[in-house]
């Protein structure tokens, strides 16, 4: 059933395995935005790309790379899950603007300008002060526009996000977060940001990571779908999608590395705390890739029609990539 | 006139500039194999690729990138010189086989397994002992075959070269050298190697670098064309082309870097000597890219017919790339 509806998940970072790719098939997933790197530099990013090439070879009956929006339909026709790669930080380009085109050519379709902290490009959502987009940031936004690499502000601060939307000639996205008005987590986005994202032609991917949810791991599917409905009213049905932030089978050490990278000598707990330092307890209705049909059922229950559900579950992501990540010019 | 004959130069490493690209046009050149790196590691190779992307942008009225053989004809139709990139050493892949597919995707069509010295893959032509292709080398040859990256043994030693030809399932080339029997320079190749290259479906590009020529800078055009005729008899007219080794406008410091990289604390003079340490005096009939018509005239004078000259001057290079560097699978 769900195989007939195009399903795209706009953010996952799992401990990738054949089992997980099989679960994607089981859950009716057609394409996934997979996080390639968090803190890796250019050379380390090449190694992560090399690892993905090995996965594409080893599991070519289950997955294939997506270099442009049309590849998602090609993957679907081939009965495979399309994987498109994104960086959660701008560390892969280091201080080198030439890396943007090269990484786009290698299949990096999406890049966040910051990951929680100040970067060379912009300010992250955990800094006390946000001075907006930097000199280098302005150049990189222009270059990302040129080569068709999507600007993702999921972990960025408010002013930097609004600046980026203003500066960018292409749509800007928040691949994985929720409205701050619904749940005031630091990673969630203000209505002002959400409206600007929509106005840019961009997209918000709804997170299913308990730290981003009202009532955390106890958030109900009905409450989640109510949030989606309210956001559809705010942003328009064309500008919302899914970005679960699913991190399957990852040890706590990976969570600590995501939060601390190489930048901190003191443990940073990110969205957690010293007494709540680990991975959150999963949602009962969304444990892993096999549970996308629950989400579809919840949206039906909430009264969305099939056309709307099709947009939310995947079609909007495909159209966003068509607008913001055209085939590389490089 | 020469614009009607497809002209491909199988090796240049110049101090690239608009002036040189204009000279390529003036000399009727359709495509050039440009050396991307000598001793650069993976990260440094990305920077060299970035510099080429900037050149392709800045001079897009004169040059364009070649990612597969068919791009040469596309360049010709567009009135531009096609540039295909090669590495003179395996340093760009470091010890990491995954780099082969990534660099092929970025446009590295050709890679030498060694540059004069022992490498992680094979033995160079300046070592005293040649133990053949290494364990890593065998894996890399297989991977280069898979992704369509051409194996170039120009600076490799005899046994390693014969081993590589034996191991490779695709044609192997010597992009720039001459027959050792004609001029016994250490970089020139034995008849045994040349026959094996031809048998593999490969190609020898004739060097115009004075160190590779009988009588050095005083080698006459007639003598050069006699050498070509003799080699055509040995290898077959389909397996020979041009690979001038032209290094325009390069200072002596670049020559010293080519010879010494980071590996030597004592000055290595390569094909020169302490008393002859600099760039050789250029040939009177081949000073720069404007002189390709002289070469065509010399071949006509020597009695080659237009079909044969067309093959030597460019057609064989295009067909070699079709056989050995098909569009990337990666």
């Amino acid at each position: 059933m769900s195989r007939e509806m195009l399903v795209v998940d706009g953010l996952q970072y799992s401990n990738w395995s054949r089992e997980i790719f099989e679960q994607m098939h089981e859950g009716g997933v057609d394409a996934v935005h997979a996080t390639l790197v968090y803190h890796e530099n250019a050379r380390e990013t090449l190694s992560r790309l090399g690892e993905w090439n090995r996965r594409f070879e080893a599991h070519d009956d289950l997955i294939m790379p997506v270099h442009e929006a049309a590849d998602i339909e090609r993957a679907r026709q081939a009965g495979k899950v399309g994987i498109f790669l994104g960086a959660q930080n701008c560390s892969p380009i280091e201080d080198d603007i030439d890396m943007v085109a090269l990484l786009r050519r290698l299949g990096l379709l999406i890049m966040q300008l910051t990951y929680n902290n100040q970067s060379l490009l912009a300010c992250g959502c955990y800094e006390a002060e946000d001075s907006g987009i930097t000199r280098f940031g302005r150049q990189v936004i222009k270059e990302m526009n040129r080569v068709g690499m999507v600007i993702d502000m999921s972990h960025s601060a408010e002013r930097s996000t609004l600046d980026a939307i203003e500066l960018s000639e292409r749509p800007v996205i928040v691949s994985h977060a929720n409205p701050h008005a619904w749940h005031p987590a630091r990673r969630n986005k203000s209505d002002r940001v959400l409206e600007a994202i929509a106005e840019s032609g961009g997209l918000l991917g709804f997170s299913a990571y308990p730290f981003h949810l009202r009532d955390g791991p106890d958030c109900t599917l009905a409450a989640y779908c109510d949030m989606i409905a309210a956001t559809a009213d705010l942003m328009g049905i064309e500008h919302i999608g899914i970005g679960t932030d699913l991190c399957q089978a990852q040890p706590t050490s990976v969570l600590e590395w995501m939060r601390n990278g190489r930048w901190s000598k003191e443990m940073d707990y990110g969205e957690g705390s010293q007494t709540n330092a680990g991975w959150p307890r999963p949602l009962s209705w969304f444990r892993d890739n096999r549970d996308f049909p629950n989400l579809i059922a919840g949206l039906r229950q909430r009264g969305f029609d099939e056309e709307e559900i099709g947009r939310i579950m995947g079609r909007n992501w495909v159209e966003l990539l068509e607008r913001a990540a055209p085939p590389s010019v490089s």
Side-chain angles (χ1 to χ4, degrees), chain A:
Chain A
M1 173 193 73
S2 62
R3 218 50 190 136
E4 284 151 41
M5 179 171 291
L6 185 75
V7 173
V8 178
D9 190 358
L11 204 291
Q12 294 190 16
Y13 182 68
S14 292
N15 189 0
W16 309 110
S17 65
R18 187 161 182 90
E19 187 186 2
I20 290 173
F21 301 138
E22 284 168 344
Q23 290 176 357
M24 290 174 178
H25 279 265
E26 210 177 317
V29 180
D30 292 290
V32 170
H33 168 202
T35 289
L36 181 68
V37 293
Y38 280 91
H39 303 288
E40 285 91 337
N41 66 17
R43 178 60 184 85
E44 292 162 339
T45 299
L46 293 183
S47 288
R48 296 297 91 76
L49 286 161
E51 288 156 13
W52 268 109
N53 278 346
R54 284 179 187 243
R55 287 184 198 109
F56 290 129
E57 270 197 84
H59 309 292
D60 75 343
D61 55 327
L62 296 176
I63 58 171
M64 60 173 266
V66 168
H67 283 264
E68 57 183 270
D71 288 336
I72 292 178
E73 187 53 35
R74 290 185 191 110
R76 192 179 159 90
Q77 294 293 336
K80 298 179 189 183
V81 177
I83 303 287
F84 52 110
L85 298 173
Q88 294 236 10
N89 198 353
C90 61
S91 56
I93 68 166
E94 300 173 359
D95 62 353
D96 187 344
I97 197 166
D98 290 341
M99 292 306 106
V100 177
L102 295 175
L103 288 169
R104 176 62 181 82
R105 170 103 195 152
L106 289 173
L108 190 74
L109 262 61
I110 298 174
M111 185 172 78
Q112 290 191 46
L113 302 195
T114 69
Y115 186 76
N116 297 344
N117 291 3
Q118 177 72 43
S119 77
L120 295 183
L121 309 180
C123 188
C125 61
Y126 276 73
E127 295 286 359
E129 299 267 342
D130 177 5
S131 54
I133 301 294
T134 65
R135 282 154 48 89
F136 183 37
R138 285 166 188 263
Q139 300 264 347
V140 170
I141 286 171
K142 202 170 160 190
E143 181 70 352
M144 289 174 78
N145 284 172
R146 185 181 76 85
V147 304
M149 186 186 284
V150 185
I151 297 165
D152 184 355
M153 300 304 280
S154 293
H155 286 258
S156 298
E158 175 103 357
R159 178 176 163 197
S160 287
T161 303
L162 295 169
D163 276 7
I165 294 166
E166 180 73 26
L167 289 162
S168 177
E169 289 177 6
R170 292 195 190 267
V172 170
I173 68 167
V174 168
S175 63
H176 59 304
N178 292 322
H180 192 271
W182 178 72
H183 178 62
R186 205 184 285 213
R187 274 270 285 102
N188 284 341
K189 304 302 175 190
S190 73
D191 284 4
R192 187 170 170 207
V193 162
L194 295 178
E195 284 170 327
I197 289 284
E199 208 176 315
S200 81
L203 181 144
L204 168 70
F206 294 111
S207 168
Y209 188 51
F211 283 117
H212 305 155
L213 301 177
R214 184 186 290 176
D215 301 326
D218 297 317
C219 179
T220 64
L221 177 57
Y224 189 80
C225 292
D226 283 345
M227 167 194 73
I228 292 179
T231 314
D233 290 342
L234 182 75
M235 297 182 71
I237 193 75
E238 300 83 6
H239 300 293
I240 57 177
I242 303 298
T244 62
D245 210 358
L246 187 61
C247 297
Q248 281 187 247
Q250 294 286 25
T252 308
S253 60
V254 166
L255 182 65
E256 291 173 354
W257 170 78
M258 286 158 62
R259 291 168 171 173
N260 294 275
R262 289 176 283 229
W263 65 272
S264 180
K265 287 181 75 172
E266 297 157 29
M267 180 66 80
D268 184 88
Y269 295 102
E271 295 165 293
S273 62
Q274 192 162 5
T275 55
N276 184 21
W279 290 104
R281 184 160 48 83
L283 297 165
S284 64
W285 48 271
F286 191 75
R287 297 154 305 170
D288 61 38
N289 272 288
R290 289 168 293 189
D291 283 339
F292 282 93
N294 289 345
L295 198 44
I296 295 171
L299 293 171
R300 287 201 178 114
Q301 185 69 27
R302 181 58 182 70
F304 286 100
D305 68 27
E306 293 301 295
E307 155 76 14
E308 292 168 327
I309 298 171
R311 286 203 154 278
I312 296 167
M313 291 305 299
R315 182 58 54 201
N316 285 342
W317 261 111
V318 174
E319 291 181 8
L320 179 281
L321 292 178
E322 284 168 356
R323 292 193 296 273
S328 179
V329 299
S330 64

